[in-house]
Amino acid sequence: MKRSTFIQQVTAGIILPSLLGTNKLLAAVGETAFADKLLTAPVGGGFKMDDYWVWDPSVVKGEDGQYHMFASRWSKELGFGNWVTNSQIVRAVSPTPEGPYTFAEVVLSPRGKDYFDGLVTHNPRIVKYKNKYLLYYMGTSYDFKVPDNRDDVWADGRAQRAWMHKRVGLAVADSVFGPWKRMDTPVISPRPGKWDASITSNPSPVVKPDGSVYLMYKSSSRDHTPPLLLGAAGAKQYDAVYERLSDKPVFSFHSKENMDNDVEDPFVWWSGRQYELIMKDRFGHICGEEGGGIHATSKNGIDWKLSSPVKAYSRTVKWNDGTTTHQANFERPFLLFENGKPTHLFAATGSGPRPYEVDKTWNMVINLK
């Protein structure tokens, strides 16, 4: 494209202002869209358990040279919606990033109602920094008996009560095999009267080379109803105080006329010159597909610009046997980096007629260019 044509299209609004995030006008032109990095998904790859709902993939290469997936699971004797009352974080292992991964152990088991994360652990995000493994996650507790059957915990209100106690936690270990030392208080808590007054959840940490931590998290002003919003916090190091980087959410797409326009499940990374993220477009008003993914960039982790094209991934998946399927869900994206480059995209997925109406779930993987 000629420079004059480019400027004309910017002026006309054909090219989004999000392309103009650098001092050089044409810097973003010709960059590979994130979606163009996706190759095929290996059939039989990833991690599944026949008797469990599986979710939340997060992978790290351990000191043993193997690949360790930290994931959430809860019994299939319970409904899928029981993630909020019965989930626990587990570890699975594979000699290759693609898998299949084999269950190894429960990592964070229930430890009692007296703890903020005493009954549920979910949303793991594993990070290795120097000789430490940092496991961020969501934990919750509640004041009723742990559900043990297929009764709908969302229909009778128990799920909503448990949801309101979600908090971001952190566990630390010197080895991928543990033992894990869990903090007894949340990394970051809700703020009454603010946009994030309800919960803190869905952590996405970035540990930069100097040891400082950038942490994106999910919350809302009231409860689980839309809009769900994303905020940013930071700490000088992983075990220091986490402070908000902005008093406002860093993403806000809703309006009074359209409250169901929001995002969740961010995966954030530092590319060396800027932050990048991929995340789920819950209702599809941004990327054009319900549950599809979007890509954005930021210099400071506060002011974000949507990429163009904005779409990062789809629920329609191409497999390495030549088939294509439309997954009921494709969520909790996670990128595995090797030698500083993203090599594999992991996601929680399921098969069924529509989102959350699933007969099975597993954590799948897609190879990247």
Side-chain angles (χ1 to χ4, degrees):
M1 181 187 297
K2 295 181 180 179
R3 181 184 177 91
S4 59
T5 304
F6 178 85
I7 294 173
Q8 290 172 1
Q9 292 191 2
V10 170
T11 305
I14 297 172
I15 294 180
L16 298 178
S18 61
L19 283 177
L20 307 180
T22 66
N23 293 326
K24 294 183 178 179
L25 185 62
L26 299 178
V29 178
E31 287 188 0
T32 302
F34 185 87
D36 292 338
K37 301 178 187 294
L38 275 61
L39 297 174
T40 57
V43 174
F47 175 49
K48 65 178 180 179
M49 300 185 75
D50 291 340
D51 296 330
Y52 289 88
W53 305 106
V54 172
W55 210 248
D56 288 324
S58 185
V59 178
V60 67
K61 191 173 186 179
E63 64 267 29
D64 60 348
Q66 302 281 301
Y67 294 87
H68 298 257
M69 179 184 290
F70 291 77
S72 302
R73 75 167 191 184
W74 58 105
S75 175
K76 287 195 75 173
E77 294 181 357
L78 309 168
F80 177 71
N82 285 63
W83 63 266
V84 73
T85 54
N86 294 79
S87 175
Q88 57 185 198
I89 291 173
V90 302
R91 180 175 60 85
V93 186
S94 169
T96 65
E98 294 84 358
Y101 287 77
T102 302
F103 171 76
E105 64 172 342
V106 175
V107 175
L108 300 181
S109 57
R111 57 173 178 166
K113 293 183 178 181
D114 292 338
Y115 294 94
F116 77 93
D117 59 350
L119 297 180
V120 175
T121 53
H122 197 65
N123 293 158
R125 283 290 167 89
I126 187 71
V127 178
K128 187 176 184 182
Y129 178 69
K130 293 185 176 180
N131 62 342
K132 297 288 185 182
Y133 291 90
L134 310 177
L135 180 59
Y136 291 81
Y137 62 95
M138 178 279 284
T140 190
S141 191
Y142 43 82
D143 59 0
F144 51 87
K145 180 184 175 183
V146 176
D148 60 2
N149 57 44
R150 294 191 66 84
D151 288 350
D152 189 340
V153 295
W154 289 93
D156 62 27
R158 285 177 292 171
Q160 290 86 336
R161 287 159 63 186
W163 193 94
M164 289 297 292
H165 293 282
K166 296 199 298 178
R167 305 289 185 267
V168 171
L170 172 62
V172 182
D174 294 329
S175 167
V176 75
F177 302 101
W180 295 92
K181 183 179 180 181
R182 292 155 76 166
M183 293 186 176
D184 291 338
T185 57
V187 166
I188 192 166
S189 296
R191 298 180 298 171
K194 300 288 188 178
W195 72 267
D196 51 0
S198 61
I199 62 164
T200 60
S201 183
N202 296 58
S204 184
V206 178
V207 182
K208 296 181 73 174
D210 63 359
S212 63
V213 181
Y214 173 90
L215 180 68
M216 190 171 283
Y217 65 98
K218 181 175 82 172
S219 188
S220 69
S221 61
R222 296 179 301 163
D223 53 28
H224 68 285
T225 58
L228 301 177
L229 302 170
L230 300 178
K236 292 182 179 180
Q237 57 188 36
Y238 71 86
D239 55 355
V241 175
Y242 289 72
E243 298 179 344
R244 265 71 173 186
L245 300 180
S246 173
D247 197 48
K248 297 179 180 179
V250 295
F251 287 102
S252 181
F253 297 101
H254 67 284
S255 64
K256 290 183 179 179
E257 296 75 25
N258 189 14
M259 297 297 281
D260 65 341
N261 186 15
D262 60 17
V263 292
E264 66 171 353
D265 293 348
F267 177 87
V268 188
W269 70 98
W270 175 252
S271 68
R273 60 185 180 91
Q274 64 182 359
Y275 292 99
E276 297 188 52
L277 66 71
I278 52 175
M279 59 184 173
K280 173 189 168 188
D281 179 1
R282 282 221 298 165
F283 298 97
H285 301 313
I286 304 164
C287 75
E289 178 186 353
E290 179 185 2
I294 63 179
H295 180 260
T297 60
S298 173
K299 295 295 184 180
N300 58 11
I302 302 170
D303 304 303
W304 288 86
K305 295 182 180 181
L306 296 180
S307 300
S308 181
V310 68
K311 193 169 187 178
Y313 57 81
S314 171
R315 286 164 51 200
T316 299
V317 175
K318 296 180 180 179
W319 303 89
N320 64 354
D321 64 356
T323 61
T324 300
T325 60
H326 189 66
Q327 300 300 109
N329 292 80
F330 190 96
E331 304 189 13
R332 300 292 296 154
F334 179 92
L335 293 176
L336 175 66
F337 283 77
E338 300 217 65
N339 299 317
K341 301 291 184 181
T343 59
H344 298 81
L345 168 64
F346 294 83
T349 193
S351 58
R354 57 187 58 86
Y356 307 112
E357 294 185 17
V358 288
D359 53 19
K360 62 180 178 180
T361 65
W362 69 99
N363 289 337
M364 62 172 292
V365 57
I366 296 176
N367 293 295
L368 301 179
K369 293 180 183 177

